[in-house]
Amino acid sequence: MIPGFGNLMQDVLWCFSQVKGTIDIGVTEADIISTVEFNHTGELLATGDKGGRVVIFQREQESRNQPHRRGEYNVYSTFQSHEPEFDYLKSLEIEEKINKIRWLPQQNAAYFLLSTNDKTVKLWKVSERDKRPEGYNLKDEDGRFRDPSMITMLRVPVLRPMDLMVEATPRRVFANAHTYHINSISVNSDYETYMSADDLRINLWNFEITNQSFNIVDIKPANMEELTEVITAAEFHPHHCNTFVYSSSKGTIRLCDMRASALCDRHSKFFEEPEDPSNRSFFSEIISSISDVKFSHSGRYIMTRDYLTVKVWDLNMENRPIETYQVHDYLRSKLCSLYENDCIFDKFECVWNGSDSVIMTGSYNNFFRMFDRNTKRDVTLEASRENSKPRAILKPRKVCVGGKRRKDEISVDSLDFSKKILHTAWHPSENIIAVAATNNLYIFQDKVN
């Protein structure tokens, strides 16, 4: 058990810590956050947005004068990761929107992260500079080249202190390998390779080689009219570098072993829950599509998110999940209108806490849900500026389905479907969570007396 991870409902009171982003007036499409990710220590937190920008927040050191105030996250670096492009061969615009960010474990003073849009993955190096060299031989102090005939002596450059500068530089660009939109990237536990997945193919890359990748999964049929499913998410096992999983729009998960063959077209395990015929409807196939798949930190379980539920699967049991949590079952009667406004195609993500005992995922009306796997209790919380006073405790929210509505409940019919929590992240070892709500990033933490 990681210290600080107790029973979710009894020990943990979640309270507001901070919110980043402007108030909703004048928000553009480009400002909407499209991915959130803590690094391996939790000291850094990165967000990507639809405008192709990456913003990195760094946790401040705790001050001795205020030990009760734990370190806040402040902006560390902001850079433009992707630009809009145009594919002239296919007459297609390629959006700059950041689909995913994945951190690499820190090996030296610099930080490395992968970011991807629909087509291109980039490896970024983020480093600090607080000294600058002075006394060049061939250049003036302002950077202009000197007249060679005037250079009569050799100068040794010296390093002078300067204001701290954080630089982000693209070290590798991995392009031209995907015909369809990239939906996932995942760093392997060997830290030499990573994979990128689109609708029909998964490619394996070496970090040092940008002009070549290996196709490890290809589900594209010879005749596209025979296509019945697409790949929706993929992730490497946290400890075994030969194992990965990918999920599909049919609600299935395949576990593959790269030792078995170079092309993992034949899976080693196939996870699928048989459908209850009494629940069959026009929307069954759409709502069973898996939008996210995540290995637990231990590597023993897989968590999947579909439209209405989160499921936990044991790697040793393929025929059904060991746990199923209803995220917003009250929407089952609203599927028709959700289909008409396209919300039924929203792709919600899910995350584990550091000890794999609690899972978190988003919903509508800026609500997000937590499920305690030990006590089987759950809670609905809201990301809102209204209760955003520092250390304000989040009150659990309840949705009323029919009949009389209590004072503290909200009716299903008054939920705001334009406010949705699709992207969340959980600190790897503490009760600190980051929740993206449109263009705002909310950070909550447990209330420690």
Side-chain angles (χ1 to χ4, degrees), residues 131-137 141 155-162:
K131 292 182 178 65
R132 69 166 183 270
E134 279 183 8
Y136 289 108
N137 288 290
E141 297 309 328
R155 289 196 289 180
V156 179
V158 290
L159 291 172
R160 299 253 186 255
M162 59 179 263

Side-chain angles (χ1 to χ4, degrees), residues 60-95:
E60 297 295 325
Q61 295 297 316
E62 295 173 33
S63 66
R64 286 185 183 164
N65 323 339
Q66 300 170 299
H68 62 280
R69 272 191 69 185
R70 282 181 293 168
E72 289 196 342
Y73 285 86
N74 290 319
V75 175
Y76 177 64
S77 174
T78 303
F79 58 93
Q80 188 72 31
S81 173
H82 287 70
E83 302 280 356
E85 294 172 57
F86 192 78
D87 184 337
Y88 290 97
L89 290 174
K90 296 187 178 137
S91 295
L92 274 180
E93 285 185 29
I94 301 166
E95 288 184 6

Side-chain angles (χ1 to χ4, degrees), residues 255-277:
L255 180 84
C256 300
D257 188 337
M258 292 192 289
R259 295 172 302 188
S261 67
L263 190 64
C264 301
D265 278 359
R266 281 207 288 274
H267 45 266
S268 46
K269 290 195 175 185
F270 182 76
F271 301 86
E272 182 179 31
E273 185 173 29
E275 192 189 12
D276 180 357

